[in-house]
Amino acid sequence: MNSKKARAIFTNDGECDDMNSFVHLLLYANDIDIEGLVASSSIFHYAGDPEQGIEPKRWADPKWMLEDIDAYERVYPNLVAHDPSYPTPEYLRSVTAVGNVKTIGEMSEDTKGSELIRKALLTSDPRPLWLLAGGGTNTIARALKHIELDFRGTDQWDSVYRQVCQKGIIFMVVTQDDTYRDYICRTWPDLRMLHCTSIQGIAFMFDETVIPPADLRMFRGSWIKPNLLEKGPLLARYHTWDDGHVYPGEEDRSQFGSNAELMGGNWWGKQPRNRYDMISEGDSPSFLYLIDKGLRSLEDPTFGGWGGRFVRNAENEFNPDADYWQNATDAAQGPTKGDALQLTRWIGDWMNDFASRATWCTTPDEKSVNHAPEVSVEEGVDVVAAPGQEVTLHALATDPDGDEVCVTWTRYADADGYEGELVLDVERREDGACVSLTVPADAKPGDTIHLVARASDEPSRETYMVNYRRVIITVGA
């Protein structure tokens, strides 16, 4: 157990974007304590139930997850040379399970997947347990239902309810069945839900209205093929347009890898595509939100990070009394809309980080591949300052590979508690950069100002890596 890593169980429904997210997740298995990899169902994909006369819908046998882990095993010696905390393939297989998959929202019986979730919620580990729903929430719901059946009506129910609600956090990508609406938010309203409803920019549709224009190139085959697909057996399983992959059980209109008739815009999204272009990673915000790169997203959903930014929403479609959070809307930048930008402002950084890690799969030689620079702030990451006070922060950066590092300071105004304008005076230095500002005279006690120091080795690398330090200035009396 690593107390600094987030605990997580990843559930998915086997759509091609879930498969891509799964490959991506495996490259970050060193940064997350993965306690489960669970196949579930959704409105889009389910296995069927012959006894009930239910035919399967677009169903892929969950063995694809084990096949991905087999590919991970082939590159594991290289990955572990770069970070010994990568979990063994044997461990990943041991926490891979099939959940409730027979039909949409099925939660009537225990499964290996639901039992894995139930037991994880009831362990003595004090850390939060992130339940990532790339498909429906029905397997999670079954785990919760079992707990309710065991304890409701007993003198332990109140304490068990509190434990589960304090420990569990659901991260749901859009809404892919009705089990959160019909069961979870009614029986477990204090169980926090982060509902990722704005996945524009990483789910099938890509243009400058949802992705910053400078980052669109990373969604084209000319970038993806050399930087991802050609990086060994694990990345060869990453799905792109017209790459020859066939998705078992999928209908022709969604066979993006093998149905050449879909090219040129002849598909439901209408946008033209070229060979090896990005298809989708619609479920990746769930685990990207957990990766600690210094943005502090796990401290507060309103801070924002690689998986998006969230605000509490009592006026939701489920239950106004639920601990329910939904994607925020940041201010638009140029042609890129704010509801997408809350997620895609970081997309260039995480795509480059992804590509750099893909290169780790090809060699154990640390000197021939890239690693992230380190960055720190001399004054710390929590500062208290009064209105009118000048604040100066010094960000220091080093690089394990000896690369040139560029350090920048920006304000993340959308996450601020102070709504006025600020002037930042940034000075580049050989070892980093410093920023100075004066706390505005009209700032009120308790207002916050979020500043992000970003350290990147982009000047030295074709695919760069980053780290951040978010400093929160809290206005005092």
Side-chain angles (χ1 to χ4, degrees):
M1 181 186 81
N2 186 319
S3 61
K4 294 183 179 180
K5 295 181 183 180
R7 301 171 64 206
I9 295 176
F10 182 74
T11 73
N12 62 84
D13 68 347
E15 198 168 7
C16 67
D17 64 317
D18 296 71
M19 295 177 178
N20 278 350
S21 294
F22 195 87
V23 170
H24 195 159
L25 168 66
L26 290 177
L27 286 186
Y28 287 84
N30 60 323
D31 287 334
I32 303 170
D33 270 353
I34 297 175
E35 296 198 5
L37 301 167
V38 178
S40 193
S41 62
S42 72
I43 58 174
F44 307 110
H45 297 263
Y46 48 85
D49 185 354
E51 292 183 3
Q52 300 296 321
I54 300 172
E55 296 292 325
K57 180 177 181 180
R58 301 171 62 188
W59 184 246
D61 190 317
K63 68 181 182 181
W64 65 265
M65 296 192 297
L66 294 173
E67 292 170 350
D68 279 359
I69 295 171
D70 290 344
Y72 171 88
E73 183 171 36
R74 294 173 62 187
V75 302
Y76 175 73
N78 291 337
L79 291 174
V80 78
H82 296 287
D83 187 343
S85 64
Y86 272 101
T88 66
E90 291 78 14
Y91 170 77
L92 293 176
R93 293 188 186 102
S94 75
V95 297
T96 300
V98 178
N100 296 63
V101 300
K102 290 182 177 180
T103 189
I104 306 168
E106 188 280 306
M107 53 172 286
S108 61
E109 60 186 21
D110 293 333
T111 60
K112 290 182 178 179
S114 71
E115 282 294 276
L116 190 154
I117 295 168
R118 180 184 69 86
K119 292 174 183 177
L121 282 168
L122 297 178
T123 64
S124 60
D125 191 325
R127 292 175 298 162
L129 176 66
W130 290 83
L131 304 172
L132 312 179
T137 51
N138 59 314
T139 300
I140 298 168
R142 177 59 209 180
L144 294 168
K145 184 65 176 179
H146 187 139
I147 295 172
E148 181 194 6
L149 291 171
D150 280 350
F151 293 102
R152 184 181 283 276
T154 73
D155 58 4
Q156 300 178 67
W157 169 245
D158 287 346
S159 63
V160 169
Y161 176 86
R162 287 194 301 271
Q163 175 185 333
V164 169
C165 292
Q166 289 169 3
K167 183 176 294 187
I169 305 172
I170 300 174
F171 191 114
M172 180 170 73
V173 178
V174 297
T175 304
Q176 300 189 55
D177 69 25
D178 291 332
T179 52
Y180 178 74
R181 182 196 70 186
D182 295 343
Y183 174 70
I184 298 174
C185 75
R186 304 295 172 183
T187 306
W188 305 87
D190 298 307
L191 179 61
R192 177 164 290 185
M193 162 64 78
L194 300 191
H195 193 187
C196 186
T197 55
S198 299
I199 54 175
Q200 307 99 310
I202 56 168
F204 297 102
M205 307 295 287
F206 314 115
D207 59 36
E208 63 183 11
T209 68
V210 294
I211 297 177
D215 297 328
L216 273 171
R217 64 184 182 88
M218 286 172 283
F219 289 75
R220 307 305 181 204
S222 56
W223 190 91
I224 288 176
K225 187 173 186 292
N227 289 301
L228 295 179
L229 304 184
E230 295 177 352
K231 300 300 183 180
L234 177 59
L235 275 299
R237 294 181 60 81
Y238 191 82
H239 298 288
T240 57
W241 275 89
D242 195 30
D243 59 9
H245 285 143
V246 177
Y247 319 136
E250 189 58 271
E251 47 194 26
D252 287 344
R253 68 189 291 267
S254 296
Q255 289 285 1
F256 307 113
S258 59
N259 186 355
E261 295 181 1
L262 302 179
M263 304 296 288
N266 299 316
W267 61 295
W268 54 264
K270 306 301 183 184
Q271 292 181 342
R273 291 288 183 260
N274 295 307
R275 193 175 194 189
Y276 305 123
D277 281 356
M278 167 76 81
I279 295 176
S280 179
E281 278 199 37
D283 300 296
S284 293
S286 62
F287 76 84
L288 288 171
Y289 188 82
L290 308 183
I291 296 169
D292 183 7
K293 301 287 286 185
L295 289 172
R296 302 171 61 178
S297 59
L298 296 181
E299 293 183 30
D300 189 316
T302 65
F303 289 1
W306 276 10
R309 197 171 71 82
F310 296 83
V311 292
R312 182 78 179 265
N313 180 10
E315 298 179 4
N316 62 75
E317 62 183 298
F318 303 107
N319 179 1
D321 295 323
D323 190 2
Y324 174 88
W325 299 69
Q326 192 170 11
N327 284 122
T329 297
D330 287 355
Q333 292 184 11
T336 308
K337 299 181 296 183
D339 58 344
L341 193 65
Q342 54 82 30
L343 172 66
T344 61
R345 66 170 59 245
W346 314 107
I347 207 163
D349 286 352
W350 66 250
M351 282 294 286
N352 272 279
D353 199 274
F354 180 25
S356 297
R357 287 179 181 238
T359 305
W360 293 0
C361 295
T362 64
T363 176
D365 180 11
E366 290 192 8
K367 295 181 179 179
S368 63
V369 297
N370 196 14
H371 304 87
E374 296 294 331
V375 59
S376 61
V377 177
E378 284 188 351
E379 293 76 16
V381 295
D382 289 294
V383 174
V384 177
Q389 181 178 338
E390 183 174 340
V391 176
T392 300
L393 304 169
H394 299 81
L396 306 176
T398 58
D399 189 89
D401 308 311
D403 293 336
E404 179 185 354
V405 180
C406 177
V407 179
T408 60
W409 279 100
T410 56
R411 177 190 180 194
Y412 192 179
D414 298 288
D416 278 2
Y418 174 72
E419 297 181 356
E421 296 297 319
L422 282 176
V423 176
L424 302 184
D425 182 12
V426 180
E427 178 186 350
R428 299 283 180 85
R429 297 185 174 186
E430 185 175 342
D431 59 353
C434 67
V435 61
S436 298
L437 72 153
T438 300
V439 177
D442 63 349
K444 298 178 176 57
D447 282 351
T448 56
I449 298 168
H450 288 235
L451 302 178
V452 177
R454 174 183 178 273
S456 165
D457 56 17
E458 187 173 2
S460 302
R461 299 285 183 169
E462 291 185 9
T463 61
Y464 61 85
M465 301 187 83
V466 298
N467 263 312
Y468 316 88
R469 286 297 176 269
R470 182 194 300 248
V471 177
I472 301 175
I473 301 172
T474 301
V475 179

